[in-house]
């Protein structure tokens, strides 16, 4: 008995009393098979609940109820899981003939309750207990494969949640782009250190010139002291020597600077190219789900803009940080060795600078993100309206779309202006404080020189002022570092959003199909885009090899979703889809898709030659193969008559290719692939009847012996279909040969009636005219 | 209906202007016989001008295709070549004499194998195509075509003018 309660399927730990209940059920010989631990009472208030299912009954436990309620399956008819808004219910017609709600829950457990509802109804229909239990356990398996941290569903049970990966891995991901250039970068740092060192020399020399050349002093720097001694009494010669020394320092400093700048630029460009490649590649493999949520404008922006920002940060800024740190340390060391007390004085403003920087950066971070979002909105408006310019014009929306654009652009501008105030003021204020530091040196140090205090000379003050101003260079750099760091961080987030997004799922050890016979099975497939409304609800049907199946139904009934699921554009459905008896999720994605010829309602062409557009499905296809495909698609004729033949570039200067011609090109594209399964998604919906005839003829040639799914609005398109599926509201309501469905006098019959009536009246009107 | 590819047994003779008369040999089955007034047209005028030449009748229907000149007898091949020469006029640019720019439109004055000519190029991104091999296709504002067979062999002045816009 102990074991049976352990076998119990559950989505969460059972509440204590519910667990005891399960124990007692097991002891009574009717052990609970699965339990749904819910979160809401029947009154709609949150509560700990559990619904236990045995082979005979469902038992409801609710911590707010004193008693345990039992529902025998045999008393329940028409068990339904109904999704409402933010919550859902399980209900059934009970013995008294009234529909009673017996479980209320939030969406978290909705898939399990759907499975449970099916479980009860199927058992009542007398289906095999074992099979039904297996279906329920699949639902549990799916429900349990979510990330324990964030609750996002996982790709497959046990997979690592991408959102919750440690941030160290993020750094690792980015460092991948820098690592190939490690040697060059280290060399660059070396060069930078050298130039920094060179930059530290001149102030010492100028100080020396002031002390040893213009007056009779000497230098604290040993080498310079020796030079002064060697040329004692000949100040002009010393001056010349010093100028030559300065000149050679400058030559070295700036000469090496050129090499370094060149190397950095090369590395930077290489990095950004690699990063961009990866983002673009990744974007190609992202599932349709991602593009439903994200506007194409923002994806493009990430590829072009953000990668550059990030590259700038990863290379230039980090390098300069190292250099400036070195400069900082170098200067402090020199200053202390020259005069410790003056050094302390000139460092006085530092705490203020550091403090201000921290406050500043806290303020900046959200601002940069907001700017980025504003800018994305601006580019989204462009990406949306420019391609749809025809719609804009035909509904005289020019002013409206301009207004929308101006509004978004103004938002962006305001944000930038707001940010501009802070961004420009901050460094200036810092610099001001820093410059005030030099006043202190003049005041205190100068006073001591006048007083003739030992160790203070005019040269020392001059050198000190130079060092102090150089010192604040790195300080302001670090103050501004937060600025570039923030924008880089904002860009990083956007880029990782793509780089880390789950690509289209490819399970390990997936099968590579080379040919399908074309048997398609949908087993209890349910799908919902938003978890609220089910687009497909428990769809089950089988298509035999070679069948031509017409799918009809009103718009929004779920026809296209059927196809989208079969094409594996979306994977988050429950139930299974089999092709030739294999679950399609087990197939390797691209070989699988290349077995399916998919012709869309709106044929999409690239701005490339006709030849390349057709050969897109089979790269490397020969001219004759492409011509043969064009023949089948009834496209060769019009291609011949183009001045540039197959070399005609589409979309250039409005090259005259009509919608119907494009459709035939897209059919040729599908033909060339020699698919085993064909799908036409309203392929003739948007063309006139003569073109429809040509396309129909092309389709007829093509479908010979191949399993074909045809979604159609016009029933005339379906004259070749030997079976019709009528989809309504996510359900398959009719399934049979056209004759059978006509005899049934159901929905299909009605559709045929309506359309033939329309055709009839059309014909009569025409007859009247002639 | 499968496509008819011409072989050495088929004859092409001159009809009028650049149109030809085709005599299909008996091995072409039902299609065998004479067809007059066919217009040879290149199916790949840009990427592969010497292969896949289609013969269209007056209604623009394809009647036969020539895979390559080698499939024809010498006389037929020469005739087709001549006809295509007449149909496709694509001057070869030998030298770019001058270039001027106004409101984004380029005006080139060039010396071609057919003489000196000036033309406008509306969009330098779309209308000047430089292939990797050095072959350049140019299209002017009126949709006339020009080619530069190898831009690396142009004189320095012409090359500099060309390269500034690519």
């Amino acid at each position: 008995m102990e074991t049976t309660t352990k076998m119990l399927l559950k989505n969460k730990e059972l509440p204590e009393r519910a667990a005891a209940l399960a124990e007692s059920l097991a002891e009574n010989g009717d052990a609970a098979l699965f339990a749904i631990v819910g979160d809401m009472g029947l009154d709609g208030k949150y509560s700990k609940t559990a619904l236990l299912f045995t082979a005979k009954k469902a038992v409801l436990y609710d911590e707010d109820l004193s008693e345990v309620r039992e529902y025998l399956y045999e008393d329940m008819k028409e068990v339904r899981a109904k999704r409402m808004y933010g919550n859902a219910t399980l209900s059934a017609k009970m013995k008294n003939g009234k529909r009673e709600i017996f479980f209320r829950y939030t969406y978290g457990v909705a898939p399990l309750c759907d499975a449970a509802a099916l479980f009860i109804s199927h058992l009542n229909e007398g289906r095999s207990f074992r099979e039904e239990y297996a279906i329920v356990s699949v639902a549990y398996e799916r429900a349990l494969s979510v990330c324990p941290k964030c609750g996002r569903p996982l790709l497959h049970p046990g997979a690592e949640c991408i959102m919750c990966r440690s941030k160290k891995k993020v750094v690792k991901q980015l460092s991948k782009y820098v690592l190939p250039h490690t040697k060059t970068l280290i060399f660059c740092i070396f060069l930078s250190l050298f130039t920094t060192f060179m930059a530290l020399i001149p102030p010492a020399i100028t100080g020396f010139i002031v002390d040893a050349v213009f007056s009779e002093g000497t230098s604290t720097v040993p080498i310079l002291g020796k030079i002064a001694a060697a040329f004692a009494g000949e100040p002009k010669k010393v001056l010349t020597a010093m100028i030559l020394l300065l000149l050679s320092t400058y030559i070295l400093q700036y000469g090496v600077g050129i090499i370094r700048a060149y190397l950095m630029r090369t590395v930077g460009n290489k990095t950004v190219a690699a990063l961009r490649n990866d983002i673009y590649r990744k974007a190609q493999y992202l599932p349709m789900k991602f593009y439903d949520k994200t506007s194409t404008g923002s994806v493009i922006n990430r590829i072009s803009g953000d990668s550059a920002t990030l590259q700038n940060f990863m290379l230039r800024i980090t390098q300069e940080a190292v250099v400036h740190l070195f400069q900082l340390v170098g200067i402090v060391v020199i200053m202390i060795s020259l005069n410790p007390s003056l050094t302390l004085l000139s460092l006085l403003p530092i705490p203020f600078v550091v403090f201000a920087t921290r406050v500043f950066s806290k303020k900046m971070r959200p601002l940069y993100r907001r700017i980025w979002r504003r800018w994305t909105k601006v580019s989204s408006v462009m990406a949306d309206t420019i391609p749809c310019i025809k719609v804009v014009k035909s509904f005289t929306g020019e002013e409206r779309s301009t207004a929308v654009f101006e509004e978004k652009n103004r938002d962006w501008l305001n944000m930038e202006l707001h940010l501009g105030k802070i961004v420009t003021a901050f460094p200036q204020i810092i610099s001001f404080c820093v410059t005030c530091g030099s006043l202190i040196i003049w005041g205190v140090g100068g006073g001591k020189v006048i007083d003739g205090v030992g160790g203070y000379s005019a040269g020392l003050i001059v050198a000190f002022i130079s060092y102090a101003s150089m010192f604040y260079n790195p300080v302001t750099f670090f103050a501004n570092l937060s600025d570039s760091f923030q924008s880089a961080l904002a860009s990083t987030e956007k880029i990782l959003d793509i780089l880390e997004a789950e690509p289209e799922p490819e399970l390990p050890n997936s099968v590579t199909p080379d040919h399908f016979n074309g048997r398609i099975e949908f087993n209890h497939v349910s799908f919902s885009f938003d978890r609220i409304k089910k687009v497909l609800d428990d769809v089950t049907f089988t298509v035999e090899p070679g069948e031509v199946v017409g799918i009809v139904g009103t718009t929004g009934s779920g026809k296209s979703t059927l196809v989208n699921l079969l094409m594996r554009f979306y994977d988050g459905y429950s139930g299974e889809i089999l092709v030739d008896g294999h679950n399609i999720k087990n197939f390797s994605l691209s070989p699988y898709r290349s077995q399916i010829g998919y012709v869309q309602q709106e044929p999409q062409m690239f701005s490339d030659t006709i030849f390349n557009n057709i050969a897109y499905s089979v790269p490397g296809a020969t001219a004759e193969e492409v011509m043969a495909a064009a023949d089948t698609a009834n496209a060769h004729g019009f291609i011949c008559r183009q001045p540039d033949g197959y070399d005609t570039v589409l979309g250039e200067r409005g090259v005259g290719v009509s919608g119907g011609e494009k459709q035939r090109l897209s059919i040729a594209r599908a033909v060339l692939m020699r698919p085993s399964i064909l799908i036409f998604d309203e392929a003739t919906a948007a063309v006139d009847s003569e073109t429809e005839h040509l396309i129909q003829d092309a389709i007829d040639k093509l479908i010979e012996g191949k399993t074909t799914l045809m979604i159609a609005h016009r029933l005339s398109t379906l004259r070749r279909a030997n079976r019709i599926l009528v989809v309504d509201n996510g359900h398959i309501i009719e399934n049979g040969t056209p004759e059978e469905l006509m005899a049934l006098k159901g929905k299909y019959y009605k559709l045929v009636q309506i359309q033939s009536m329309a055709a009839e009246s059309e014909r009569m009107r025409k007859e009247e005219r002639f | 209906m499968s496509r008819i590819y011409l072989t050495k047994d088929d004859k092409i003779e001159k009809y009028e202007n650049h149109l030809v008369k085709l005599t299909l040999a008996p091995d072409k089955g039902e299609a065998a016989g004479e067809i007059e007034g066919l217009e040879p047209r290149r199916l790949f005028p840009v990427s592969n001008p010497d292969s896949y030449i289609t013969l269209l009748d007056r209604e623009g229907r394809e009647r036969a295709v020539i895979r390559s000149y080698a499939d024809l007898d010498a006389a037929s091949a020469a005739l087709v070549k001549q006809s295509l020469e007449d149909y496709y006029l694509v001057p070869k640019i030998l030298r770019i004499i001058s270039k001027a720019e106004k409101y984004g439109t380029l005006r080139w004055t060039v010396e071609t194998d057919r003489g000196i000519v000036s033309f406008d190029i509306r969009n330098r991104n779309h209308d000047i195509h430089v292939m990797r091999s050095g072959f350049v296709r140019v299209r002017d504002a009126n949709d006339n075509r020009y080619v530069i067979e190898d831009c690396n062999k142009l004189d320095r002045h012409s090359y500099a003018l060309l390269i500034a816009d690519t």
Side-chain angles (χ1 to χ4, degrees):
Chain A
M1 284 301 129
E2 184 70 12
T3 46
T4 41
T5 45
K6 272 192 182 155
M7 299 274 285
L8 175 69
L9 293 171
K10 51 190 181 251
N11 53 326
K12 265 185 217 162
E13 261 330 292
L14 287 171
E16 219 170 281
R17 271 159 54 210
L21 184 64
E23 293 276 348
S24 73
L25 283 173
E27 277 162 25
N28 293 335
D30 188 20
L33 303 163
F34 58 98
I36 300 171
V37 179
D39 46 11
M40 186 168 274
L42 289 173
D43 54 359
K45 290 198 174 123
Y46 290 119
S47 154
K48 274 186 188 147
T49 62
L51 191 57
L52 299 147
F53 293 85
T54 74
K56 289 182 192 130
K57 63 188 180 214
V59 184
L60 174 72
Y61 159 82
D62 183 339
E63 63 169 0
D64 291 344
L65 292 178
S66 46
E67 86 282 3
V68 163
R69 295 184 183 170
E70 294 198 355
Y71 305 89
L72 287 174
Y73 298 155
E74 56 189 33
D75 295 342
M76 302 158 90
K77 279 189 188 123
E78 297 176 31
V79 182
R80 263 187 219 148
K82 181 175 166 64
R83 291 189 190 214
M84 298 184 297
Y85 197 98
N87 71 117
T89 57
L90 277 175
S91 65
K93 263 194 180 154
M94 297 298 176
K95 250 194 300 191
N96 58 10
K98 282 190 183 162
R99 177 161 289 280
E100 191 184 321
I101 291 171
F102 61 94
F103 192 50
R104 191 162 173 183
Y105 48 93
T106 60
Y107 289 158
V109 291
L112 296 180
C113 291
D114 292 346
L118 273 181
F119 177 77
I120 300 176
S121 352
H122 285 169
L123 284 191
N124 282 348
E125 282 168 23
R127 293 209 203 167
S128 141
F129 171 78
R130 198 175 281 263
E131 233 171 70
E132 294 309 317
Y133 181 71
I135 293 176
V136 170
S137 41
V138 170
Y140 269 87
E141 211 171 284
R142 276 188 55 85
L144 289 180
S145 51
V146 293
C147 170
K149 266 193 212 156
C150 63
R152 266 170 94 257
L154 292 179
L155 189 50
H156 52 89
E160 185 189 22
C161 175
I162 286 177
M163 290 306 268
C164 296
R165 275 167 137 194
S166 76
K167 291 295 168 252
K168 265 186 197 164
K169 282 194 177 162
V170 172
V171 175
K172 215 173 159 190
Q173 259 237 334
L174 291 182
S175 64
K176 188 175 94 189
Y177 299 97
V178 181
L179 281 179
H181 309 291
T182 320
K183 275 186 192 163
T184 326
L185 287 176
I186 289 177
F187 184 59
C188 279
I189 291 184
F190 227 73
L191 294 182
S192 317
L193 294 185
F194 181 76
T195 51
T196 319
F197 181 71
M198 285 293 145
L200 290 177
I201 294 176
I205 298 179
T206 41
F208 172 74
I209 293 176
V210 170
D211 280 353
V213 180
F214 299 152
S215 51
E216 291 290 298
T218 180
S219 175
T220 41
V221 183
I223 309 169
L224 295 178
K226 271 183 198 159
I227 297 175
F231 293 101
E234 288 175 286
K236 280 234 164 124
K237 278 193 179 164
V238 181
L239 185 63
T240 317
M242 287 303 119
I243 288 172
L244 285 177
L245 195 60
L246 273 179
L247 180 69
S248 43
T249 330
Y250 289 144
I251 290 175
L252 278 175
Q253 183 186 342
Y254 294 108
V256 171
I258 292 173
I259 300 173
R260 174 179 165 267
Y262 171 74
L263 285 176
M264 288 304 292
R265 198 190 162 90
T266 334
V267 171
N269 289 341
K270 280 181 189 164
T271 321
V272 76
L275 190 60
R276 227 177 254 162
N277 275 345
D278 277 15
I279 301 173
Y280 183 79
R281 165 174 288 272
K282 189 60 188 277
Q284 296 293 304
Y285 284 100
L286 285 178
M288 290 306 294
K289 210 168 61 185
F290 182 89
Y291 287 100
D292 292 345
K293 281 190 295 188
T294 320
S295 74
T296 33
S298 91
V299 176
I300 294 171
N301 207 2
R302 291 175 210 201
I303 298 171
S304 50
D306 286 314
S307 52
T309 317
L310 195 58
Q311 168 261 339
N312 181 36
F313 181 77
M314 284 196 301
L315 293 167
R316 199 175 65 79
I317 310 285
T318 45
Q319 274 247 339
E320 277 179 23
V322 173
V323 171
H324 283 293
L325 192 70
F326 178 77
Q327 206 175 8
L328 210 61
V329 174
I331 294 168
V332 171
V333 168
I334 294 179
M335 280 166 83
I336 289 179
S337 71
L338 286 176
N339 191 315
S341 46
L342 260 189
T343 311
L344 276 179
L345 272 180
S346 50
L347 293 189
L348 266 182
I350 295 293
F352 169 76
V353 170
V354 172
F355 174 74
T357 311
R358 296 192 92 175
V359 173
F360 180 70
S361 80
K362 245 189 197 162
K363 234 186 122 110
M364 296 314 298
R365 193 181 172 141
L367 284 181
Y368 271 111
R369 281 206 209 133
R370 280 169 72 190
I371 286 207
W372 188 87
R373 281 197 298 271
R374 298 284 185 283
W375 173 242
T376 320
K377 276 190 188 147
V378 173
S379 45
S380 274
V381 172
M382 291 190 276
D384 280 351
T385 48
I386 302 290
C388 293
I389 193 71
K390 218 177 199 173
V391 180
V392 172
K393 282 186 181 300
S394 57
F395 293 96
T396 58
E398 296 95 332
E399 278 310 315
R400 270 173 290 158
S401 73
T402 313
V404 171
F405 183 82
E406 280 173 358
E407 185 198 320
K408 303 286 177 213
N409 208 15
R410 191 169 48 236
D411 284 350
W412 169 82
L413 179 66
N414 287 341
M415 210 58 224
E416 276 286 1
L417 292 179
H418 177 57
L419 183 81
K421 277 181 214 152
I422 309 174
V423 167
T424 47
F426 182 75
Q428 300 299 329
I429 294 173
I430 297 278
S431 306
F432 171 75
C433 299
V434 164
T435 330
C436 289
S438 70
L439 298 182
I440 303 178
I441 302 176
W442 276 121
V444 180
K448 294 216 170 148
V449 175
I450 295 170
D451 293 347
V453 179
Y456 286 87
S457 66
L460 176 78
I461 303 295
V462 170
F464 228 90
I465 295 288
S466 313
Y467 280 125
S469 63
M470 276 170 70
F471 175 77
Y472 281 106
N473 240 348
V475 170
T476 41
F477 168 82
F478 282 115
N480 288 332
L481 184 62
S482 68
D483 190 272
S484 41
F485 182 67
Q486 295 313 327
S487 68
L489 214 62
S491 289
T492 312
E493 278 184 16
K494 306 301 154 221
I495 288 179
L496 286 183
D497 202 28
I498 289 187
L499 280 182
E500 300 261 290
E502 278 176 72
E504 288 181 295
E506 183 92 42
L507 293 177
N509 14 326
S510 39
V511 188
T512 306
D514 53 330
H515 184 78
F516 287 133
N517 294 322
R519 186 186 159 88
I520 302 168
E521 287 165 79
F522 274 60
N523 280 339
H524 304 289
V525 173
S526 299
F527 179 73
S528 157
F529 283 104
D530 51 8
R531 290 193 180 192
I532 296 172
K533 186 182 172 280
K534 279 191 177 177
V535 186
L536 290 181
D537 193 2
D538 194 30
V539 168
T540 300
F541 67 89
T542 308
V543 178
E544 297 299 335
E547 264 191 315
V548 177
V549 177
I551 302 175
V552 298
T554 46
T555 22
S557 56
K559 299 171 302 213
S560 295
T561 311
L562 278 181
V563 169
N564 281 336
L565 293 189
L566 185 61
M567 285 301 287
R568 285 186 65 189
F569 288 143
Y570 300 93
D571 259 2
Y573 55 87
S574 63
E576 48 181 16
I577 302 173
L578 308 177
V579 170
D580 282 7
H582 294 282
N583 191 329
I584 56 169
K585 287 186 182 174
N586 293 335
F587 288 122
S588 195
L589 202 54
S590 39
Y592 170 73
R593 281 195 188 139
S594 64
Q595 286 301 317
I596 303 178
Y598 179 44
V599 180
Q600 285 167 285
Q601 178 176 1
E602 288 288 326
Q604 294 181 333
M605 295 287 138
F606 300 100
S607 48
D608 201 342
T609 62
I610 287 182
F611 181 86
N612 287 342
N613 262 296
I614 296 177
Y616 192 79
S617 56
V618 181
T622 66
E624 275 175 51
E625 281 164 357
V626 168
M627 280 156 65
D631 265 341
T632 313
N634 285 336
H636 183 76
F638 82 81
I639 300 172
C640 280
R641 292 190 282 277
Q642 294 287 335
D644 276 329
Y646 281 86
D647 288 330
T648 306
V649 176
L650 295 177
E652 215 175 69
R653 279 206 204 163
V655 160
V657 179
S658 71
E661 287 169 341
K662 270 191 203 163
Q663 188 58 281
R664 280 178 272 163
L665 290 180
S666 84
I667 292 174
R669 192 190 276 167
V671 175
L672 185 64
M673 211 164 72
R674 295 175 193 277
S676 332
I677 295 171
L678 284 164
I679 299 174
F680 295 97
D681 191 348
E682 310 238 13
T684 59
V687 296
D688 59 85
S689 40
E690 200 184 321
T691 321
E692 185 191 354
H693 176 74
L694 277 171
I695 294 176
Q696 202 57 48
D697 180 59
I699 293 177
D700 289 350
K701 278 188 263 176
L702 182 55
I703 61 181
E704 210 53 64
K706 290 190 186 98
T707 305
T708 305
L709 298 183
M710 287 173 121
I711 296 181
H713 227 69
R714 277 187 217 167
L715 299 177
S716 58
T717 326
L718 297 179
R719 56 196 165 73
R720 283 284 302 268
N722 39 33
R723 204 140 63 84
I724 304 283
L725 295 175
V726 183
V727 188
D728 188 45
N729 229 338
H731 298 273
I732 302 239
I733 53 169
E734 289 166 30
N735 178 356
T737 63
E739 296 76 31
E740 280 169 8
L741 294 192
M742 284 305 281
L744 198 67
K745 301 219 166 186
K747 182 104 180 174
Y748 178 73
Y749 176 77
K750 256 194 243 164
L751 283 171
V752 172
Q753 291 291 334
I754 294 170
Q755 294 205 357
S756 53
M757 246 154 65
E760 184 75 4
S761 62
E762 176 85 354
R763 217 193 59 215
M764 299 218 325
R765 239 188 333 195
K766 271 192 183 160
E767 275 172 8
E768 263 171 37
R769 229 178 276 159
F770 294 117
Chain B
M1 175 211 87
S2 66
R3 183 170 290 117
I4 297 168
Y5 286 107
L6 296 191
T7 57
K8 286 232 184 331
D9 299 328
D10 306 309
K11 284 272 167 299
I12 290 176
E13 289 153 291
K14 195 167 166 68
Y15 181 65
E16 57 188 24
N17 297 329
H18 70 285
L19 301 183
V20 298
K21 183 177 107 181
L22 170 68
T23 311
L24 285 166
D27 66 325
K28 300 297 180 298
E30 270 178 43
E34 288 183 3
I35 314 169
E36 290 183 335
L38 292 180
E39 183 176 73
R41 291 267 285 269
R42 292 173 172 145
L43 283 173
F44 298 90
V46 179
S47 57
N48 197 356
D50 290 336
S51 301
Y52 297 105
I53 292 146
T54 183
L55 300 174
L56 302 182
D57 65 16
R58 285 190 187 92
E59 280 75 47
R61 279 193 309 254
E62 177 180 276
R63 304 301 286 266
V65 171
I66 302 163
R67 265 203 193 88
S68 78
Y69 294 129
D71 290 351
L72 301 179
D73 63 74
S76 299
L79 194 67
V80 172
K81 258 185 214 172
Q82 186 51 51
S83 161
L84 291 175
E85 282 295 314
D86 288 346
Y87 188 90
Y88 294 91
L89 189 143
V90 184
K92 294 184 180 94
I93 295 175
L94 307 173
R95 189 160 71 87
I96 304 176
I97 297 168
S98 71
K99 183 185 88 172
E101 187 174 353
K102 216 173 191 184
Y103 312 122
T105 302
L106 291 179
R107 185 168 186 84
W108 277 15
T109 304
V110 298
E111 185 187 327
T112 71
D113 56 345
R114 290 164 192 266
I116 289 173
V117 67
S118 291
F119 56 83
D120 290 339
I121 297 171
R122 211 176 283 154
N123 181 334
R124 61 191 79 178
N125 294 327
H126 287 148
D127 295 338
I128 306 175
H129 278 280
V130 182
M131 313 282 174
R132 228 162 246 279
S133 59
F135 187 83
V136 184
R137 285 190 287 133
V138 182
R139 186 159 62 158
D140 75 7
N142 300 318
D143 216 23
N144 296 313
R145 322 292 168 106
Y146 309 84
V147 296
I148 301 171
E149 289 196 319
D150 187 352
C151 66
N152 300 313
K153 286 186 183 152
L154 286 176
D155 60 287
R156 282 184 70 154
H157 173 71
S158 304
Y159 186 77
L161 290 181
L162 168 72
I163 228 67
D165 288 309
T166 56

